[in-house]
Amino acid sequence: MDDRPTPEADASPAVDLTSCDREPIHIPGRIQPHGVLLAFVEPTLRPVAVSANVERFAGLPVEAVRDAPLAACLTAPSLDRLGAVLAGDDPAAANPIAMAMRTADGERDVDGIVHRHDGLTILELEPRDATPRPSSAFFRGIRAAIRRLQTATDLATVCAIAAEEVRRITGFDRVKIYRFAADWSGQVIAEDRADSIPSLFDFHFPASDIPAQSRALYASNPVRIIPDIGYAPAPLLPDRNPLTGGPIDLSYAVLRSVSPVHIEYMMNMAVHGAMSVSILREGRLWGLISCHNTRPRFVAYEVRQACELIAQVLTWQIAVLEEAAIVHHSVRVRAVQQRLLHGLGSQKDLAAGLARGADEMLSLMNAAGFALSGFDGVTTHGQTLSRTEITTLIGALSRGEARDMFETDCLGASIPAVAADPTRVSGVLAVPLGRASTYYMLWFRPEVAQTVTWGGDPHKPVRIGPLGGRLQTRASFDAWREVVRGRSRPWQPHEIVAAIEIRDLVVDVILSKAEELEGVNRQLARSNDELESFAYVASHDLKEPLRHIEAFAGLLKESLPPDSEGRLGAMVSGIETSSRRLRALINDLAEYSRVGRQARPLAAVPLDEVLADVLADLRPVLEETGARVTATSLPVVLCDRSQIRQVLQNLISNALKYRHPERAPAVAVSGAIEAGAAVDHDRPASGEPDRHVRIAVTDNGIGFDEKYREQIFEPFQRLHGPDEYEGTGIGLAICRKIVQRHGGAISAESVAGTGATFTFTLPIRSLDDGDRP
């Protein structure tokens, strides 16, 4: 049912919604007045700018603080602590700093929050006397929250737990988990609230509610608090960076004043206190933990840090759940590929062979129809467009920009000429079987009509109000329902990858001879084994670093006396160490699974340049270990530059990592062009001698027992414990997969205690082969 209101008789003036995107919110020239901001240039600790509320906050005139030594407003012990923090490489890691501010009638305890940006050092002072400090019970609660997040097995549950735990430790009336869509609109996917505040669960909000520059700040500065939206901003005196001549950039300041449009937005929601914590996936804003209170509410810095930790654990758990789902789907893809391979091998007609596996491919892609379009016409299976419409669609795709695939969940908007019946087909995923071929594989999905609940009318996100010509937010956030038609369920990234991989298999079958099918079958069987290992690690080993977080949190009770600063730093350091291990494991697993999926066309690459880039990246480690790297002149080969660079970097990094403790590392890199037996068993024999490049990386490290020369290239196989040498046991497996992807081979020789030599070969191809692998 469509609950949209009848259009008003008087149309509102046209407004440019992108004007909010252009508002310079990072340089507002003002702060929120619950704290004081001092900006100075090191090493001279004399403020060049002071927030005007210093007199109300501490009874000190601005003139007595600006351009005066910090001793005019901070106690001697506070100055000592600040000096020690500024002497470190990362002052922000020490936040908050327990400090005392001089006042007109004594001293006032404050939390010092310091960061460097744009040439300035910015010190923010928040009240410390108004909020009780976290106790051991508080940290026990954080440990319990982390344990609960670890046990969640689906997205809805883990988000609901995060919302509940953040509300428990902060006391906000409503905490919601807000997820961004591809178009930056958002949906509330979890919520925990008091009965006194209305629910926003499952509400959708248009992208204009959080404009682009706000999202950029959420990504760079993950925690934002507004204790009282009714505040009167305190200006910076002066608002000028003496180093740049421009306004002071407050992108990373916790006290930064927010946009009047945002204040009005919160007032229209009947909210007077707010906090948000960003949920970041691979550096991109995935969503927000958004907290609202009907009355003003201030949250201490340590509590905000705890919320940020919960957001990080939530992010890791989301990554684990998504990777597990992708791995499960990838295993299904491999199984379908293997069955297709057998089926196509026994069929002379490609269309007949694909038709035999059509039901499996529909199930795998959650599609209702499948079609194969080629020179000999169109073959369909299930619920599809008509053959004439498919021919028209293929013609439109062929005339469009060259692309690897085409996908849409709204065919009517993308190619209206073939969207005659959206209830039958609204979603299309099409992958070409070759650049010069008219063969296409296509999957189809029907319309999925759904009722979307918006927080207010999304078609009227702003209005012109009584405050002059400034854009104002909408006044109502009541549920506004809209029936969405003509759209299918969106195609997920791993489904698109699966379609491309199936396409790659079909192309290989078309181009390969019957005797090569057995070799491809062995490769698919090996891929199945690797993916099974990957699935096991995704469900077990990836959770191990998170258990370390729980262990460190548990130690806080015994080793964190009240008001202790040093111990808190140690615990945070421990948590960060575990998180780095988890990130490294996830990143390596993702890299291993993506090798080949994101392969680029081959190009002529001078390996000398690649080696120079690798050594430049490794320079800090080379200098630290005193390593010496020598190299002969290396040839130019056709390859994927980024992937071969990764091979060289992994091999040289391993040589440095597994160095002998009694001698400086020495690494030799050599290359030669050789003729011999074919290395790429997937290429048809040409009748001419195969030529290939052989690259060897030799070191004088600890070496290994020769009986492990094959085992070391298997995923997750380590000859040493993780406490002896850092790493995830995937690096050499990635090397082998990349080299094999290029049609080459990799091997190792070693004498334990003396050193090792890793050798890989790359076939020499002509420029006509540049589209492979």
Side-chain angles (χ1 to χ4, degrees):
M1 178 178 179
D2 192 338
D3 295 335
R4 286 178 285 185
T6 303
E8 300 174 1
D10 297 328
S12 300
V15 295
D16 180 8
L17 300 183
T18 63
S19 61
C20 284
D21 289 336
R22 297 190 295 270
E23 184 181 3
I25 60 176
H26 63 298
I27 48 172
R30 299 177 299 275
I31 67 165
Q32 301 178 61
H34 65 275
V36 171
L37 186 145
L38 310 173
F40 50 90
V41 179
E42 296 182 63
T44 303
L45 303 184
R46 291 174 177 266
V48 297
V50 180
S51 59
N53 65 325
V54 67
E55 185 165 2
R56 182 189 60 80
F57 190 86
L60 301 175
V62 172
E63 295 75 13
V65 178
R66 189 178 58 215
D67 294 325
L70 281 179
C73 61
L74 296 177
T75 64
S78 299
L79 283 175
D80 291 340
R81 295 191 190 101
L82 178 62
V85 169
L86 294 179
D89 294 332
D90 184 11
N95 293 329
I97 311 166
M99 307 181 79
M101 191 174 186
R102 299 186 188 278
T103 65
D105 55 0
E107 298 178 0
R108 181 176 185 180
D109 290 336
V110 292
D111 275 334
I113 304 167
V114 65
H115 73 276
R116 295 186 178 111
H117 181 56
D118 213 13
L120 293 180
T121 299
I122 295 178
L123 175 63
E124 301 173 86
L125 302 174
E126 287 188 338
R128 189 179 180 88
D129 48 6
T131 308
R133 315 320 295 171
S135 63
S136 59
F138 173 83
F139 291 106
R140 284 198 301 272
I142 298 300
R143 179 180 61 184
I146 292 173
R147 186 184 301 113
R148 291 188 66 199
L149 289 169
Q150 286 180 268
T151 59
T153 57
D154 59 79
L155 180 64
T157 301
V158 73
C159 289
I161 292 172
E164 179 183 339
E165 292 295 342
V166 169
R167 180 166 176 253
R168 178 182 62 80
I169 66 176
T170 62
F172 278 97
D173 291 334
R174 178 176 61 215
V175 175
K176 54 192 178 75
I177 308 297
Y178 184 91
R179 180 178 187 177
F180 289 105
D183 62 356
W184 293 112
S185 63
Q187 179 186 7
V188 178
I189 61 173
E191 178 186 71
D192 192 73
R193 65 182 178 90
D195 294 337
S196 58
I197 194 168
S199 173
L200 296 178
F201 178 70
D202 202 34
F203 277 31
H204 291 68
F205 296 87
S208 57
D209 277 21
I210 304 179
Q213 89 283 31
S214 294
R215 297 193 297 267
L217 285 181
Y218 282 130
S220 60
N221 192 1
V223 181
R224 159 60 76 211
I225 185 169
I226 311 174
D228 184 356
I229 67 168
Y231 71 89
L236 297 181
L237 301 176
D239 178 24
R240 179 180 175 275
N241 184 333
L243 300 179
T244 65
I248 296 177
D249 190 336
L250 299 180
S251 296
Y252 301 96
V254 298
L255 295 175
R256 176 177 56 82
S257 186
V258 298
S259 165
V261 176
H262 183 67
I263 293 296
E264 185 176 333
Y265 186 91
M266 303 304 292
M267 291 177 63
N268 291 345
M269 294 185 76
V271 171
H272 289 82
M275 185 181 80
S276 65
V277 184
S278 303
I279 304 172
L280 299 169
R281 286 282 328 269
E282 298 179 350
R284 188 175 188 271
L285 193 61
W286 184 93
L288 297 170
I289 301 177
S290 182
C291 310
H292 294 156
N293 215 62
T294 54
R295 298 174 61 86
R297 184 165 191 82
F298 176 76
V299 177
Y301 190 87
E302 291 99 330
V303 178
R304 281 148 35 202
Q305 282 183 311
C307 293
E308 186 176 1
L309 175 60
I310 288 177
Q312 290 174 354
V313 177
L314 171 61
T315 300
W316 298 329
Q317 193 68 8
I318 289 172
V320 169
L321 294 174
E322 290 183 356
E323 288 290 343
I326 291 172
V327 167
H328 176 72
H329 190 266
S330 297
V331 171
R332 291 182 60 202
V333 171
R334 293 302 188 277
V336 170
Q337 283 181 322
Q338 197 168 35
R339 286 190 287 271
L340 276 176
L341 190 61
H342 286 294
L344 293 175
S346 61
Q347 293 285 333
K348 294 183 179 180
D349 180 37
L350 175 63
L354 288 174
R356 290 184 57 184
D359 286 335
E360 277 191 317
M361 288 197 290
L362 292 184
S363 173
L364 181 70
M365 303 298 292
N366 290 312
F370 170 78
L372 176 67
S373 172
F375 291 111
D376 54 351
V378 176
T379 302
T380 63
H381 183 84
Q383 186 171 304
T384 69
L385 296 172
S386 69
R387 285 179 170 80
T388 301
E389 290 171 330
I390 292 175
T391 302
T392 303
L393 172 62
I394 297 302
L397 296 180
S398 300
R399 292 189 298 271
E401 297 180 1
R403 63 178 71 193
D404 194 45
M405 63 90 192
F406 168 81
E407 60 92 12
T408 180
D409 63 353
C410 185
L411 185 59
S414 301
I415 308 179
V418 293
D421 184 6
T423 60
R424 184 172 181 81
V425 172
S426 287
V428 175
L429 175 58
V431 291
L433 293 180
R435 291 184 177 227
S437 172
T438 59
Y439 274 92
Y440 269 82
M441 297 174 65
L442 307 99
W443 285 267
F444 302 94
R445 283 177 176 168
E447 170 190 89
V448 177
Q450 57 179 324
T451 300
V452 176
T453 302
W454 295 89
D457 184 352
H459 304 290
K460 294 183 179 180
V462 296
R463 60 188 171 86
I464 298 294
L467 303 178
R470 178 174 67 80
L471 294 180
Q472 291 185 300
T473 64
R474 60 182 179 274
S476 174
F477 289 85
D478 293 337
W480 189 93
R481 295 177 179 83
E482 178 181 34
V483 177
V484 177
R485 305 298 300 268
R487 288 189 177 276
S488 71
R489 191 178 66 81
W491 303 96
Q492 298 301 313
H494 59 274
E495 293 171 337
I496 296 172
V497 169
I500 293 174
E501 289 190 344
I502 291 174
R503 183 275 310 273
D504 290 344
L505 171 67
V506 174
V507 170
D508 286 343
V509 172
I510 294 174
L511 298 177
S512 300
K513 292 184 176 181
E515 59 266 27
E516 298 173 312
L517 291 178
E518 183 178 356
V520 175
N521 189 34
R522 287 196 301 268
Q523 292 181 3
L524 284 173
R526 185 168 60 248
S527 294
N528 275 333
D529 294 336
E530 293 171 354
L531 281 166
E532 288 175 1
S533 298
F534 188 24
Y536 175 81
V537 172
S539 61
H540 294 84
D541 290 2
L542 291 182
K543 296 180 181 178
E544 183 62 25
L546 288 178
R547 295 193 183 98
H548 282 280
I549 296 176
E550 175 187 352
F552 279 112
L555 292 174
L556 288 175
K557 174 184 176 181
E558 294 80 13
S559 60
L560 181 62
D563 299 324
S564 175
E565 298 167 11
R567 298 297 293 170
L568 177 59
M571 297 311 300
V572 171
S573 176
I575 292 173
E576 289 176 346
T577 299
S578 293
S579 70
R580 284 195 296 270
R581 287 190 60 198
L582 176 58
R583 283 195 299 270
L585 184 56
I586 291 177
N587 290 341
D588 284 351
L589 285 171
E591 185 63 33
Y592 182 74
S593 66
R594 285 196 292 263
V595 170
R597 298 182 188 177
Q598 298 178 345
R600 301 173 183 174
L602 302 186
V605 176
L607 292 184
D608 283 331
E609 293 182 6
V610 175
L611 178 61
D613 291 344
V614 169
L615 296 180
D617 286 348
L618 296 176
R619 181 173 297 140
V621 182
L622 294 171
E623 294 176 351
E624 177 185 348
T625 58
R628 180 170 55 89
V629 179
T630 59
T632 63
S633 178
L634 301 180
V636 176
V637 297
L638 277 175
C639 65
D640 182 325
R641 183 185 185 113
S642 63
Q643 289 193 346
I644 296 304
R645 172 176 173 167
Q646 184 173 4
V647 172
L648 283 173
Q649 184 147 347
N650 283 1
L651 295 179
I652 297 176
S653 295
N654 277 355
L656 301 177
K657 181 192 302 183
Y658 298 106
R659 60 187 180 272
H660 199 284
E662 297 178 359
R663 55 180 176 262
V667 183
V669 183
S670 61
I673 298 177
E674 301 177 351
V679 265
D680 186 353
H681 303 290
D682 295 327
R683 304 180 68 214
S686 63
E688 299 178 0
D690 289 281
R691 300 172 67 241
H692 56 266
V693 172
R694 179 178 298 275
I695 306 297
V697 178
T698 303
D699 65 65
N700 63 342
I702 62 174
F704 58 86
D705 193 319
E706 278 282 310
K707 67 182 181 181
Y708 300 117
R709 58 187 302 175
E710 294 296 329
Q711 178 182 332
I712 59 176
F713 292 103
E714 295 296 328
F716 319 118
Q717 297 297 318
R718 297 174 54 92
L719 304 185
H720 307 277
D723 293 332
E724 294 181 75
Y725 295 96
E726 293 182 357
T728 57
I730 307 177
L732 290 177
I734 292 176
C735 291
R736 182 177 68 177
K737 197 166 187 179
I738 290 175
V739 171
Q740 289 179 344
R741 185 76 184 172
H742 281 73
I746 188 169
S747 61
E749 298 176 350
S750 177
V751 175
T754 300
T757 297
F758 289 82
T759 304
F760 65 94
T761 58
L762 298 175
I764 296 178
R765 301 187 177 106
S766 68
L767 291 174
D768 294 335
D769 292 327
D771 289 340
R772 296 184 82 247

